Amino acid sequence: RVRVGYIMADWRQHVTAHLLQTVFGQHDPSRVSVAIFALNPDDGGSFRRRVRDSVASVGGDFVEVHGLSDADVAATINRNQVHVLVDMDYYKERLMVLALRPAETQVAFLAHPGTTGADFVQHLVIDRVVATPEMSPYIHESLVYMRHHYQINDHAASYPYRARSRTEVRAQEGLPEPPALVVANFNGLYKVEPASLRLWMQVLDAAVEAPGGGDTALWLVSAGKEADPFVRRRLGRHSGRTVLAQMADFDPHIQRARAADFFLDSFTYTAHTTAVDALWGGVPVVTRPGETISSRLATGALGGFGPGGGEGVAR
């Protein structure tokens, strides 16, 4: 059997663990042996618990390495006889572990949308939409393509669809009642560059000025009490038509997302998990593919598992 290890510091209530809760149970234990290496302490949350259960269901190991030095983590991985080590750590804060080469084959996957630039990471798991073959000269790793979109997730297992009245959700979120147009973007505001913000405000203006146009709202995620006043200043006269959603757990957030009419993406660093959350909530996603991995994430999601698969994507 091939021994595959997965290493990350976000086995907690975090967006990457959110995608992975039951995925490890899909491994074929007759062909693959699974080992998780947890760089972070147990937060007692449901995501980590479900990952543990998923790993246990296929006879895998969940190995606690929090508090160990890079050398000790690497030694632990090596003692576990890992053939393929998959790094899923967005911040790459422990990339030195991989520099010690504890496994023969080392792979980057899922959390970080780009190359590591490291000689000790041989492969990047991705798809042909997000990283086209023409990009390969600019990516240090060799590209391993998934058949569809590279982002795995377990929305179907963890977030069963529950119909909620759009009017009810809008009232709870402080949004205008239907048929008002609500344009949403649930990305962290660090992804929102001025060009995206200007376009969104133009969309609001065009909707109001169109024949039969009416009330509109821009629905963004709050950046916190210190940052929100700055955001509203940047919005200028559109501030009054902007609702800043408070952070919520993943399940209620996905359930509330369907109150939007559509999700309008940012340009340079596009939506990824937030786009999938919107799709799962039944909200159309509008994105524009760029020339970098980070600017093509939502395009990959739409092509890979948008509503109706490829049939659900309009160009």
Side-chain angles (χ1 to χ4, degrees), residues 61-254:
D61 301 303
F62 193 101
V63 184
E64 303 279 359
V65 291
H66 168 67
L68 298 184
S69 68
D70 292 337
D72 287 340
V73 173
T76 301
I77 294 168
N78 190 259
R79 282 197 303 272
N80 274 269
Q81 299 182 316
V82 170
H83 302 119
V84 179
L85 181 62
V86 183
D87 175 32
M88 300 188 297
D89 204 345
Y90 179 87
Y91 294 105
K92 305 298 173 191
E93 59 188 53
R94 301 294 295 275
L95 198 57
M96 184 58 70
V97 172
L98 275 73
L100 295 169
R101 301 179 187 266
E104 181 177 353
T105 302
Q106 301 188 148
V107 179
F109 176 51
L110 192 61
H112 177 68
T115 179
T116 64
D119 290 338
F120 47 82
V121 179
Q122 296 103 315
H123 307 291
L124 174 66
V125 177
I126 202 77
D127 63 67
R128 291 179 180 271
V129 175
V130 174
T132 65
E134 291 75 19
M135 292 181 182
S136 59
Y138 311 103
I139 298 172
H140 191 78
E141 302 85 357
S142 69
L143 301 179
V144 177
Y145 285 127
M146 301 283 279
R147 179 186 293 182
H148 301 296
H149 185 42
Y150 82 99
Q151 189 213 69
I152 55 175
N153 70 79
D154 74 342
H155 282 63
S158 298
Y159 306 103
Y161 185 88
R162 294 195 296 272
R164 290 184 64 192
S165 161
R166 175 175 286 191
T167 301
E168 173 193 351
V169 176
R170 287 194 177 186
Q172 290 176 349
E173 296 293 329
L175 297 164
E177 295 181 0
L181 177 71
V182 174
V183 178
N185 183 288
F186 299 124
N187 290 337
L189 292 183
Y190 66 89
K191 291 187 177 183
V192 181
E193 68 275 79
S196 295
L197 199 59
R198 285 194 297 270
L199 175 62
W200 299 346
M201 291 187 285
Q202 290 170 10
V203 169
L204 295 181
D205 289 340
V208 171
E209 295 165 4
D215 200 4
T216 62
L218 177 63
W219 195 14
L220 305 177
V221 174
S222 169
K225 63 180 181 181
E226 293 183 355
D228 283 353
F230 173 77
V231 173
R232 291 201 175 277
R233 285 197 300 272
R234 291 298 300 266
L235 288 164
R237 63 184 178 85
H238 295 87
S239 176
R241 286 191 284 169
T242 302
V243 176
L244 299 176
Q246 298 304 307
M247 298 299 292
D249 288 339
F250 289 98
D251 192 15
H253 170 67
I254 292 170

